[in-house]
Amino acid sequence: MPKKLFSIFFICFLIITSVFVPISASAYEVTSFEITAEAGMLISLDTGEVLWEKNPDKKMYPASITKIMTAILMVESDLWNPEAKVTLTKAALDKTLGTGLAVSLLKEGEEFTQLDLLYMVLLSSFGDCAYLAADVYGGSLEGFVEMMNEKAKELGLNGTHYSNPVGLHEEETYTTARDTYNLCVYAKKHDIITEICGKSRYKLVTTKGTTRTLSTTNFLLDQTTNYYYQYASGFKTGYTGAAGRCLVSTASHNGYNYMCILLKCPNRPNIKRYEFVESRELYRWAFNNFSFREIAKSNEPVCEIPVEMSLETDFLPLYFEKPFISVLPNEADDSTIIIKTYFENETAVAPIKKGDVLGYAEVVYAEKVIGTVDLIAGQDVKVSGLLQFWELVKDIFTSKYMKAVYIIIAAVIVGFILVMIKLNWPRKRRKVKYIPYKERDLNNDKD
């Protein structure tokens, strides 16, 4: 029974951690500067560890970060063809009237490639182009929005919902910092999206001869601004009055890669653009204060587990499924790093194949779990036929069916004993008073 309960607990733990904890829950406090964003995260793209977070699961408005989902559906569509032409429609232009959205200033009927359209959606964040994309790839605005929400569900973005493809403020368009991270990590799997989000300029030429150089809205990438950051590599901005200034960015330096998400920074353009300044400070903090640390190698045993049903060995060494490398503060002391092991069962039962998962290990630093790794068997273990036969015999004689047989046999034996006792027990004889013959006659004469 204890083994069964432990197994149930182990399975539940794996389900919960895989579904609800996509990012390692390790965050450090930033004390050297202030972060005004209402929600945000700084995550290592190399290890998935969270270096800093603030309200990561709070409902927030994404503004034009929404267009990342729009771009994903564009490039994943069966209709996607970078060289194919699309035409700017009156319907797309009309949807932007009175909204305050940034628009392309192109005219109805102008043609350009689908690749051009993707650049205008991501690089310059044009609202009319996002609405055009919805009509082209979704058949209609409503159909495209439905596709967006289906994709969000598929990606496990449980705190995200869309009501439009541009990020226009509506109560039913919302997300979280954690969902934004997962969305952008998925988007980066598409090379074309990563490429576009990493550029600062793009030359657009329409079939009507309109020539224009598109500029990024991410000033970390733009050398002509005061916010340029030499290690920045992407990704997307957003702004509405309700959403505030939003920025998803990436940066790489000396082999370290990070993503920073800041949602609802103050909108004070005459003072400074907080989303760029604070993202840059967070990157500097990470690059200067953290480094890779190899906690355990995959070719070194971590622990041992008792083995049953084998004459080869009594204990089996377990290894990390893969090397565990963490991003830790430079001053981190190895003595504060602890590996806690948990087995699926109290013992491992042969036969066992090399690579079988028999448990997991938690890596703890400064009393915080910074990662979880599966523990696998380091070698094959053959089952013993003799022990297997003996176990089979023992199982048979200890099974619930045999226990019932034992009870019946015991009952029959007890019943038989009781019957035999009853049959052989000495009978008690009745005592009769003896009256001599003569005395009996004298008594009769008296009558």
Side-chain angles (χ1 to χ4, degrees):
M1 183 61 70
K3 289 184 179 180
K4 291 183 179 180
L5 290 175
F6 189 90
S7 298
I8 293 172
F9 172 81
F10 179 78
I11 293 170
C12 291
F13 174 87
L14 291 181
I15 293 173
I16 292 171
T17 53
S18 62
V19 175
F20 298 103
V21 190
I23 306 174
S24 301
S26 173
Y28 304 92
E29 184 179 358
V30 178
T31 58
S32 55
F33 53 91
E34 181 184 3
I35 301 174
T36 62
E38 190 168 314
M41 303 180 77
L42 177 67
I43 311 103
S44 167
L45 291 175
D46 303 302
T47 67
E49 291 174 87
V50 180
L51 272 64
W52 168 84
E53 63 181 16
K54 180 180 181 181
N55 300 321
D57 300 305
K58 182 177 181 179
K59 176 182 174 180
M60 305 295 293
Y61 298 116
S64 286
I65 292 174
T66 299
K67 294 187 178 78
I68 295 173
M69 177 61 84
T70 301
I72 289 172
L73 294 181
M74 290 175 65
V75 301
E76 290 185 353
S77 171
D78 293 337
L79 301 175
W80 171 251
N81 181 350
E83 301 304 320
K85 300 290 185 180
V86 291
T87 304
L88 186 59
T89 63
K90 183 177 185 299
L93 293 170
D94 288 347
K95 288 184 178 71
T96 65
L97 296 177
T99 62
L101 291 169
V103 294
S104 66
L105 299 180
L106 298 177
K107 296 180 180 179
E108 178 187 349
E110 288 200 77
E111 290 185 336
F112 36 83
T113 66
Q114 292 188 24
L115 181 60
D116 292 334
L117 180 62
L118 186 61
Y119 266 96
M120 287 190 283
V121 168
L122 284 176
L123 190 69
S124 297
S125 203
F126 292 146
D128 52 349
C129 295
Y131 279 123
L132 177 62
D135 290 337
V136 171
Y137 300 98
S140 66
L141 175 60
E142 295 75 17
F144 193 78
V145 169
E146 184 177 349
M147 290 167 57
M148 295 174 74
N149 288 313
E150 288 177 355
K151 191 65 178 182
K153 184 177 180 180
E154 175 189 326
L155 296 178
L157 310 181
N158 299 320
T160 297
H161 188 271
Y162 300 104
S163 60
N164 64 76
V166 297
L168 187 67
H169 177 65
E170 293 176 343
E171 288 296 323
E172 291 305 308
T173 292
Y174 55 84
T175 190
T176 68
R178 196 183 304 277
D179 279 3
T180 300
Y181 164 75
N182 289 323
L183 174 67
C184 293
V185 168
Y186 179 82
K188 282 174 63 63
K189 295 179 180 180
H190 297 285
D191 292 340
I192 187 61
I193 292 179
T194 301
E195 179 183 344
I196 292 174
C197 289
K199 287 190 174 183
S200 61
R201 299 288 187 272
Y202 178 73
K203 187 175 181 180
L204 171 70
V205 180
T206 71
T207 54
K208 288 192 174 182
T210 301
T211 301
R212 180 180 306 170
T213 298
L214 305 179
S215 298
T216 181
T217 57
N218 182 357
F219 292 166
L220 293 179
L221 300 173
D222 193 339
Q223 297 186 45
T224 66
T225 72
N226 294 328
Y227 302 105
Y228 174 71
Y229 182 52
Q230 59 182 327
Y231 302 126
S233 54
F235 202 70
K236 186 75 185 76
T237 64
Y239 169 73
T240 67
R245 294 287 178 180
C246 303
L247 174 64
V248 178
S249 61
T250 54
S252 301
H253 177 53
N254 283 344
Y256 294 84
N257 304 280
Y258 294 101
M259 178 179 289
C260 183
I261 300 161
L262 295 180
L263 303 178
K264 201 171 185 180
C265 291
N267 180 35
R268 301 170 188 166
N270 294 329
I271 301 176
K272 64 179 179 180
R273 292 288 293 272
Y274 290 86
E275 72 273 30
F276 300 123
V277 173
E278 293 174 10
S279 294
R280 192 166 56 190
E281 289 299 319
L282 280 166
Y283 286 130
R284 288 171 176 166
W285 172 70
F287 289 135
N288 292 333
N289 294 282
F290 292 82
S291 56
F292 290 132
R293 186 76 62 87
E294 188 173 38
I295 307 299
K297 299 179 180 179
S298 59
N299 60 353
E300 295 179 352
V302 177
C303 59
E304 291 184 329
I305 186 172
V307 175
E308 295 181 358
M309 301 298 295
S310 176
L311 294 176
E312 292 182 351
T313 181
D314 294 327
F315 291 90
L316 174 67
L318 299 184
Y319 297 76
F320 274 13
E321 185 178 31
K322 55 186 177 181
F324 185 83
I325 299 175
S326 178
V327 177
L328 293 176
N330 295 333
E331 68 276 10
D333 186 351
D334 289 344
S335 64
T336 62
I337 301 173
I338 301 172
I339 298 177
K340 296 182 178 180
T341 58
Y342 302 88
F343 300 146
E344 184 174 354
N345 295 295
E346 294 176 358
T347 59
V349 180
I352 303 168
K353 292 184 178 180
K354 183 178 180 180
D356 284 351
V357 177
L358 300 178
Y360 67 94
E362 288 181 346
V363 181
V364 181
Y365 167 70
E367 299 183 351
K368 293 180 181 178
V369 177
I370 61 175
T372 303
V373 185
D374 284 339
L375 293 173
I376 62 173
Q379 63 189 53
D380 293 337
V381 178
K382 295 181 180 179
V383 65
S384 166
L386 179 62
L387 293 179
Q388 196 173 34
F389 174 76
W390 171 246
E391 190 69 18
L392 177 62
V393 173
K394 187 169 65 173
D395 287 343
I396 292 174
F397 283 94
T398 57
S399 67
K400 61 181 181 179
Y401 302 106
M402 287 303 298
K403 289 178 181 178
V405 171
Y406 298 152
I407 293 173
I408 293 172
I409 292 174
V412 171
I413 292 173
V414 171
F416 176 77
I417 292 173
L418 292 176
V419 170
M420 293 304 296
I421 291 174
K422 186 175 181 181
L423 291 175
N424 294 281
W425 193 263
R427 294 187 179 182
K428 192 174 182 180
R429 297 184 179 181
R430 182 179 177 185
K431 293 182 179 181
V432 180
K433 184 179 179 182
Y434 174 74
I435 302 174
Y437 178 78
K438 291 183 177 182
E439 183 179 348
R440 188 176 54 203
D441 291 342
L442 290 174
N443 290 336
N444 293 334
D445 290 342
K446 290 180 180 180
D447 293 339

